[in-house]
Amino acid sequence: MSGAATRRSPAPPVPDWAPTEDFASLKWLSPADGAFAHARTGRRRIGFVRQASYVAIDIVLVCLGAIAVYAVRFSLASILDIEAAPVGLLIRHAYTQPYLAFLMLYVALIVMACTSQHLYHTSRELTALSESVTVGKAVGLATALLVLFIFISGNKEISRLVVASAGVVNVGALAGWRYSKRLYVLRRARRGEGTSRTLIIGAGKLGQTLATWLSNNQNLGYTVCGFLDAHPNGDARVLGSINDLRKVALEQFVDQVFVTQPAEPELVKTIWVEARRLRLSLHIVPDIYDGLGWRAPMRSIGGFPSIELHGQPIPALGLAVKRVVDVGRGVPRP
């Protein structure tokens, strides 16, 4: 094994893709297509507004939680005095102490931590428990950074009990409202509201498995309205052949198209053209070696999509031993 085995040559530049002549001749492929550009801009605007509203909810909840913890700490348990302090005294105390400045810092830290954990555009495939654990990680990181800032500033007037209590409250509040949102979305999906009507091309094993998965996981937001298949197998959900894509899509008010059957490149191009004309989202679900590609991570290497079926990195101890052997053989460092 030589040191050259670990060298990685830089990836060659990937040229910009250009449609072939038969596709380029179609006027609607132009980036200046007004309807398509308007729809895409509208989706981006809606997504931005949704994420901004999520951030605003987090900020309001963090502030309310901090105010509640502060009030409890200094009105009910101030120096073992159970008597409630006047509201005006609490407000004056908050202004004279650096609590307000550290609260603003805490809010910013929580928003940045939630952003780093992708909590403002959470995948519907994430379970409620996984999302709550991610919220705990984000709030825990923000709280730890706040404690570090307080320690570095040398401030001894900030109650560590208030900071720790605020962290616990924020985990419950931020995870709680996300769980409530999840229940609301699921209820709407069960009523058929806010879902994408889906047409699956290919009624074989992969297509049936995909339809079952989408139907059993309504939180994903898909409603399967049927299949298209060149060889009908008696399934009542097969609505026609691939040539009936336009007719079936218009009749069933389809939003999304999934291609699951092995198809010739020319057939996929034809489906792509028709889906683009109808403004439908098109997804290709490859059936790789009898299901080996299911749940495999999709990556982009140099602009090329790649499905990782198996990854086995060399252990750190193995790399160290290899380097010692390379040094003994006089192999230069890569």
Side-chain angles (χ1 to χ4, degrees), residues 197-260:
R197 293 184 59 81
T198 302
L199 182 65
I200 300 177
I201 296 180
K205 178 181 177 181
L206 179 57
Q208 297 286 347
T209 302
L210 176 62
T212 302
W213 176 258
L214 296 179
S215 300
N216 293 340
N217 294 270
Q218 297 178 338
N219 59 297
L220 298 179
Y222 295 98
T223 299
V224 179
C225 56
F227 297 88
L228 292 181
D229 199 289
H231 306 286
N233 54 6
D235 191 335
R237 294 182 298 174
V238 178
L239 305 177
S241 66
I242 299 175
N243 294 329
D244 300 321
L245 173 59
R246 180 178 182 83
K247 171 177 171 291
V248 173
L250 294 176
E251 289 179 349
Q252 298 293 328
F253 302 99
V254 172
D255 302 305
Q256 311 266 348
V257 176
F258 286 83
V259 179
T260 63

Side-chain angles (χ1 to χ4, degrees), residues 9-81:
S9 58
V14 180
D16 293 335
W17 178 83
T20 56
E21 294 181 0
D22 52 342
F23 289 138
S25 62
L26 297 177
K27 195 185 296 185
W28 44 265
L29 280 175
S30 171
D33 186 353
F36 179 72
H38 179 73
R40 182 171 56 185
T41 302
R43 287 194 298 268
R44 290 178 178 175
R45 186 181 299 112
I46 292 174
F48 175 78
V49 172
R50 183 182 295 112
Q51 292 182 22
S53 64
Y54 293 167
V55 172
I57 293 174
D58 279 355
I59 292 175
V60 170
L61 290 177
V62 170
C63 291
L64 291 178
I67 292 173
V69 171
Y70 176 85
V72 170
R73 169 66 178 83
F74 290 103
S75 65
L76 301 179
S78 178
I79 316 176
L80 301 181
D81 185 7

